[in-house]
Amino acid sequence: MRVLLRVAYDGSAYCGYQIQDNGDTIQEELEKALLDLFCVPIETTGGSRTDAGVHSLGNPVVFDVETKMKAMSIAPALNVRLPEDIRVLSSVEVASDFHPHTAPSRKTYEYCIRVQRMEVPTERNRVLTVHVPLDLAAMQKAAGYLEGEHDFTSFSSIHAQVTSKVRTIYSCQVTCDERDTIPTYNPLDPEEEGFGRLIRIRVTGNGFLYNMVRIIAGTLVEVGRGAMKAEEVEKVLAAMDRSKAGPTAPAKGLTMIRTEFVEL
Amino acid sequence: MRVLLRVAYDGSAYCGYQIQDNGDTIQEELEKALLDLFCVPIETTGGSRTDAGVHSLGNPVVFDVETKMKAMSIAPALNVRLPEDIRVLSSVEVASDFHPHTAPSRKTYEYCIRVQRMEVPTERNRVLTVHVPLDLAAMQKAAGYLEGEHDFTSFSSIHAQVTSKVRTIYSCQVTCDERDTIPTYNPLDPEEEGFGRLIRIRVTGNGFLYNMVRIIAGTLVEVGRGAMKAEEVEKVLAAMDRSKAGPTAPAKGLTMIRTEFVEL
């Protein structure tokens, strides 16, 4: 049968999702656990090849296996064989021709930014610290230009190996919940400039190019700190030139929130 | 001068805030950094003696030092001497008779609970996983009984060493933000029962007894899973008997959010 796993992980200790020569990966840990469980080597295919340091709350992973086990019993059996920074949230049987790369889907990522002088220890592996105030309204306006169907060449790594760079972003929301604010306690930081805020960039689309969410985050930070005008984002898109967008924001602030398959 | 630090930490690796014989503590790390900076032993007093595994976003810590350094320069000088799971967010000079235990204050703690079959790796050190559905409305109703001035004997460890167990809770809010929900992806989990939810218990008061917030959280979980009725919480308070309340919830779900001093 073909099995679909939803795999959550803290990516801090890994060189990314996909197996590679130079270090530990999520996929390698998963395949070791599958080998231990089924006593045969099993190849897996992950829906998102997240980079080193990127986290996930449910990356879809597919593999084929011949077994009498019920599909739903596979998740707990894998979890006792996995390190504590990787957990399989569920395992279900899917059609034998289901494939996470070709099945139409809505993917959601979140990038988190803390405006604070010092890094907050409880967040140190999953939130980017920015040391200057960010203009939330400008970031929200800039994010609006990214929604819709566009060619995202400007927002994709020059190393992206795909033929079409056209993707649809259903929503790109920049939010800040006052409850998540941590005062800087620094008398020099004017509260009205938003020091201490946690800013979340949440983006849902039908697919993302290599580094796309991190480049979107890096560009929105440029807008937030006033180095780029919100309106310029429209021109950056139109330029289809990676060098016009902002820098690629660090991996650790990024979490793959979910992938919803239209057919499932 | 007397200096007030705001100290944030990930408590996972420590035996608690206060120095003790059997392991690493936040206070010990702070005092080592202070010794290294000022070349004299310095004793500190922390506002909250958080337990092993409890986190903080700004525990107030006070000490006296004779130095020509500006107070605000002490925080960055300490941070380069501290491990990455402890950060001093700020350092300011306060009156020479200021003391974090006696200065009137409003303290806020948060306890986080995820309703999920499996522990979510990115949250594993800071959120309690509960494997059964929780009735949010019942928990909110129960929390309401705790607000106001009460004798919290039932909600305090029998080892609490204080004369009066009367405290005022200004607010005790149980909330759930839909954006924080992580689907379990398990077809057996009915969505309407709230599987995947993140529930936050945020409580602000003029002071808390030993284990008080963890016992409040443990009791609200009992109410949430239907083992105790919301109305019973009123009787539990009146009983002034620790055995009537729920269990002490695990430390890792607890974070000291902030302490606001009325005078500062």
Side-chain angles (χ1 to χ4, degrees):
Chain A
M1 66 176 163
R2 182 156 287 191
V3 178
L4 168 63
L5 307 177
R6 298 294 188 150
V7 185
Y9 45 87
D10 178 336
S12 311
Y14 297 96
C15 294
Y17 177 78
Q18 198 167 34
I19 285 181
Q20 46 187 269
D21 295 335
N22 64 346
D24 294 341
T25 60
I26 321 292
Q27 189 183 6
E28 189 183 344
E29 293 292 340
L30 264 183
E31 294 188 3
K32 278 199 307 204
L34 283 165
L35 174 63
D36 190 62
L37 177 61
F38 292 115
C39 302
V40 288
I42 288 176
E43 255 183 65
T44 63
T45 307
S48 298
R49 289 175 291 253
T50 56
D51 283 334
V54 174
H55 316 293
S56 168
L57 305 182
N59 197 351
V61 174
V62 154
F63 64 92
D64 293 312
V65 68
E66 281 182 49
T67 177
K68 285 179 181 161
M69 265 183 97
K70 279 186 187 167
M72 64 175 287
S73 304
I74 295 174
L78 289 175
N79 284 329
V80 296
R81 292 167 166 86
L82 284 166
E84 66 170 7
D85 50 9
I86 304 176
R87 280 292 172 269
V88 179
L89 298 184
S90 76
S91 48
V92 294
E93 186 173 355
V94 287
S96 61
D97 62 347
F98 176 84
H99 193 288
H101 294 166
T102 53
S105 68
R106 289 169 68 93
K107 293 183 178 186
T108 299
Y109 281 85
E110 187 171 84
Y111 197 95
C112 286
I113 298 161
R114 174 74 68 184
V115 182
Q116 186 88 3
R117 304 250 168 211
M118 312 291 177
E119 195 165 72
V120 179
T122 45
E123 305 174 342
R124 67 192 186 282
N125 291 327
R126 55 189 175 87
V127 175
L128 174 70
T129 308
V130 169
H131 307 272
V132 296
L134 295 180
D135 180 339
L136 189 68
M139 293 172 76
Q140 288 166 331
K141 187 175 177 189
Y145 293 112
L146 299 171
E147 295 182 344
E149 189 183 73
H150 301 286
D151 184 308
F152 283 98
T153 300
S154 296
F155 291 87
S156 129
S157 164
I158 54 166
H159 303 295
Q161 292 168 328
V162 287
T163 44
S164 167
K165 295 193 172 178
V166 174
R167 296 290 184 277
T168 299
I169 290 189
Y170 303 120
S171 81
C172 184
Q173 295 191 310
V174 184
T175 58
C176 168
D177 183 339
E178 206 196 320
R179 279 193 314 168
D180 293 326
T181 297
I182 301 172
T184 66
Y185 300 107
N186 187 330
L188 298 182
D189 296 335
E191 208 176 294
E192 62 273 18
E193 293 196 1
F195 273 103
R197 272 185 187 162
L198 182 73
I199 295 175
R200 296 179 181 204
I201 301 168
R202 189 173 275 221
V203 55
T204 299
N206 65 351
F208 292 94
L209 301 162
Y210 186 47
N211 279 354
M212 183 166 150
V213 184
R214 290 168 57 189
I215 298 169
I216 288 174
T219 304
L220 294 180
V221 169
E222 291 295 279
V223 170
R225 72 188 185 85
M228 188 190 283
K229 283 196 177 127
E231 301 76 34
E232 267 183 73
V233 168
E234 201 173 11
K235 292 178 196 153
V236 171
L237 262 178
M240 295 198 274
D241 175 354
R242 168 68 189 92
S243 72
K244 303 294 185 202
T248 306
K252 70 173 185 178
L254 183 61
T255 300
M256 206 224 96
I257 301 288
R258 66 169 65 108
T259 300
E260 297 160 283
F261 293 105
V262 179
E263 304 161 356
L264 291 186
Chain B
M1 65 176 163
R2 182 156 288 194
V3 178
L4 168 64
L5 307 178
R6 299 292 188 151
V7 185
Y9 45 87
D10 177 337
S12 312
Y14 297 96
C15 294
Y17 178 78
Q18 199 167 32
I19 284 180
Q20 46 186 272
D21 295 334
N22 62 346
D24 294 341
T25 60
I26 321 291
Q27 189 183 6
E28 190 183 344
E29 293 293 338
L30 265 182
E31 295 188 3
K32 279 198 308 202
L34 283 164
L35 174 61
D36 190 63
L37 177 61
F38 293 115
C39 303
V40 289
I42 288 175
E43 255 183 66
T44 63
T45 306
S48 297
R49 288 175 292 253
T50 55
D51 284 334
V54 173
H55 316 291
S56 167
L57 305 182
N59 198 352
V61 173
V62 154
F63 64 92
D64 293 313
V65 67
E66 283 184 46
T67 177
K68 285 180 180 160
M69 263 182 98
K70 280 186 185 164
M72 65 175 288
S73 305
I74 295 173
L78 289 175
N79 284 328
V80 296
R81 292 166 167 86
L82 283 166
E84 64 169 9
D85 50 7
I86 305 176
R87 281 292 171 271
V88 180
L89 298 184
S90 76
S91 48
V92 294
E93 185 171 357
V94 288
S96 61
D97 61 348
F98 176 84
H99 195 287
H101 294 166
T102 52
S105 66
R106 290 168 67 93
K107 291 182 178 187
T108 299
Y109 281 86
E110 187 171 85
Y111 197 95
C112 286
I113 298 162
R114 172 75 67 183
V115 182
Q116 185 90 1
R117 303 253 167 205
M118 314 291 176
E119 194 166 72
V120 179
T122 45
E123 305 174 344
R124 66 191 186 282
N125 292 327
R126 57 189 174 88
V127 175
L128 174 68
T129 307
V130 169
H131 306 273
V132 295
L134 296 179
D135 180 340
L136 189 69
M139 293 172 75
Q140 288 166 333
K141 187 176 177 187
Y145 293 112
L146 299 170
E147 294 181 346
E149 188 182 73
H150 303 285
D151 184 307
F152 283 98
T153 300
S154 295
F155 290 87
S156 127
S157 164
I158 55 168
H159 304 294
Q161 292 167 328
V162 288
T163 42
S164 167
K165 296 194 172 177
V166 174
R167 296 290 184 276
T168 300
I169 291 189
Y170 303 120
S171 82
C172 183
Q173 294 191 309
V174 183
T175 58
C176 169
D177 183 339
E178 207 197 319
R179 278 193 315 168
D180 293 325
T181 297
I182 301 172
T184 65
Y185 299 107
N186 187 331
L188 297 181
D189 296 336
E191 210 176 293
E192 63 272 19
E193 293 196 0
F195 273 102
R197 271 183 186 161
L198 182 74
I199 295 174
R200 297 179 179 205
I201 301 167
R202 188 173 275 221
V203 55
T204 299
N206 65 352
F208 292 93
L209 301 163
Y210 187 46
N211 280 355
M212 183 166 152
V213 183
R214 290 169 56 188
I215 298 169
I216 288 174
T219 305
L220 293 181
V221 168
E222 291 296 278
V223 171
R225 69 186 186 89
M228 187 188 283
K229 283 195 177 131
E231 301 76 34
E232 268 183 73
V233 168
E234 199 171 13
K235 292 178 198 155
V236 171
L237 263 177
M240 296 199 271
D241 175 354
R242 168 68 188 93
S243 73
K244 302 295 186 203
T248 306
K252 70 172 184 176
L254 184 61
T255 301
M256 209 224 96
I257 302 288
R258 64 170 66 111
T259 299
E260 295 161 284
F261 293 105
V262 180
E263 304 164 353
L264 292 186

